[in-house]
Amino acid sequence: MPSTPLRRRRALALLAAPLAGALPWPVAAQERPLALVLGFPPGAGIDALTRQLGERIAPALGRPVIVENRVGAAGRLAAEHVKRTPADGSTLLVAPMAVMTIFPHTYRQLRYDPAKDFVPVAHLAEFGLALAVRADAPARTLQEYVEAVKRDRDMGLYGSTGVGSPSHFFISMFERAAGVSMTHVPHRGSADVMNALLGGHIKAAILTVNDISPQHAAGKLRALAVSAPRREATLPDVPTFKELGHDIEGSFWYGAYAPAGTPAPVVQRLSQALVEATRQPELRAQGAKVGLQLTGGGPDVLARVQKADHDRWGPAIRATGFVAED
């Protein structure tokens, strides 16, 4: 007959077995760090936000949190990686809107399905774009800019952060709304766009509010309109496109996703930690300084926004005839 200590260990094991399913996530996963994976390099805006969130959710989750920068293919490599990871709560994808709503329209053979391969966890933040010209440009308002473009096609030379970027497609929407034809000059990043505009190589730029607002405040650029539904705190004197009679708007966002199949209690626990972190006043204030509005929406909010933006951007993308190279 087994000894008393052995019988006791067996009894405890039997008692613990039913409780294992009630844990927030599998014990093996809980013992590992939580990896927040993003497809952009250190120093990018999404990287800074992810690291700050990681610092704040680690104590709430009772486990280390690390940030993995899997750079490449505008965020697609990171999505492909997270798709293949175990659905046990040990890995989350932190992605910009384009990865989940625009790329499905632009790539013929996307190697992940946003709707099938991921589970929404949290809507983290949103930000807007601004259309700007040099401070010495002849156009002081958006209407004057439209008239200038109609008179002189060179005034329609505008820069963005790349072909197939949200800013590229937003200007496509603006062209149709304003009845103008502009010429897209893609660049590798916002710094290149800014240098080209300040150097006079292009006549306008569509960049994030964070990129435009310091140069607008310094008097080097003139922001003409912002894409968000409401005016931006860092550009309070700049109207929205809708205010100016153009029925277009665009709020861009960051979201967190888990691999498909992650248990609902695990998703809820991770979501709760992220949402609570985004609601901390200090982090919200830091975000506001760089044009980020921290939103803190749960899985249902992220799923709803993702579906709405997927449907809304489809026509704008198809109108350009753009197809991305794999």
Side-chain angles (χ1 to χ4, degrees):
M1 187 173 182
S3 65
T4 299
L6 180 57
R7 290 201 303 273
R8 185 178 296 113
R9 287 198 296 271
R10 287 177 177 174
L12 289 171
L14 289 172
L15 286 171
L19 296 175
L23 292 173
W25 41 65
V27 173
Q30 188 177 9
E31 293 173 349
R32 297 196 300 270
L34 169 64
L36 302 179
V37 179
L38 64 153
F40 301 89
I46 188 173
D47 176 81
L49 174 63
T50 301
R51 292 180 187 278
Q52 292 187 30
L53 288 172
E55 292 176 2
R56 286 164 171 78
I57 66 175
L61 297 175
R63 60 193 295 200
V65 177
I66 61 173
V67 175
E68 290 186 18
N69 300 89
R70 291 185 172 264
V71 181
R76 287 180 290 132
L77 292 184
E80 292 168 13
H81 169 74
V82 173
K83 168 189 171 180
R84 297 190 296 266
T85 60
D88 59 5
S90 61
T91 309
L92 291 180
L93 172 70
V94 179
M97 181 198 85
V99 172
M100 293 299 184
T101 65
I102 288 181
F103 291 171
H105 293 295
T106 58
Y107 287 90
R108 289 195 179 99
Q109 294 183 332
L110 199 62
R111 288 186 285 272
Y112 62 88
D113 186 324
K116 296 179 180 179
D117 295 329
F118 300 95
V119 177
V121 175
H123 190 285
L124 302 174
E126 64 183 11
F127 58 95
L129 302 175
L131 176 65
V133 295
R134 282 182 18 154
D136 59 359
R140 300 191 62 83
T141 67
L142 185 64
Q143 183 56 38
E144 289 179 358
Y145 177 71
V146 169
E147 293 169 358
V149 172
K150 289 179 178 179
R151 290 193 306 268
D152 180 1
R153 287 187 62 85
D154 283 349
M155 284 298 297
L157 289 172
Y158 80 94
S160 84
T161 52
V163 176
S165 64
S167 51
H168 173 201
F169 295 125
F170 186 82
I171 289 296
S172 175
M173 293 168 60
F174 172 63
E175 288 178 278
R176 294 199 308 279
V180 295
S181 178
M182 299 171 65
T183 302
H184 184 209
V185 184
H187 293 74
R188 292 185 177 181
S190 58
D192 289 342
V193 178
M194 191 66 68
N195 289 336
L197 180 57
L198 292 174
H201 305 295
I202 55 178
K203 301 300 183 180
I206 180 78
L207 293 171
T208 67
V209 168
N210 180 34
D211 291 319
I212 296 295
S213 55
Q215 303 293 343
H216 176 84
K220 295 180 179 180
L221 297 182
R222 182 182 301 121
L224 301 178
V226 295
S227 69
R230 64 194 67 84
R231 294 197 182 197
E232 299 280 358
T234 55
L235 291 171
D237 58 328
V238 180
T240 68
F241 281 88
K242 277 202 167 184
E243 279 185 77
L244 298 173
H246 303 288
D247 192 20
I248 56 173
E249 65 179 53
S251 287
F252 306 89
W253 45 264
Y254 300 134
Y257 295 83
T262 302
V266 175
V267 171
Q268 186 57 39
R269 181 75 180 93
L270 294 168
S271 178
Q272 180 181 0
L274 285 167
V275 168
E276 289 177 354
T278 63
R279 292 177 178 172
Q280 294 180 12
E282 180 185 0
L283 188 57
R284 283 180 173 259
Q286 291 177 9
K289 290 179 181 178
V290 294
L292 278 179
Q293 179 183 349
L294 273 64
T295 50
D300 291 345
V301 172
L302 180 55
R304 183 172 65 251
V305 171
Q306 178 182 330
K307 175 65 166 59
D309 279 346
H310 175 275
D311 294 345
R312 182 157 62 99
W313 285 95
I317 294 168
R318 288 191 293 272
T320 68
F322 174 78
V323 177
E325 296 181 4
D326 291 330

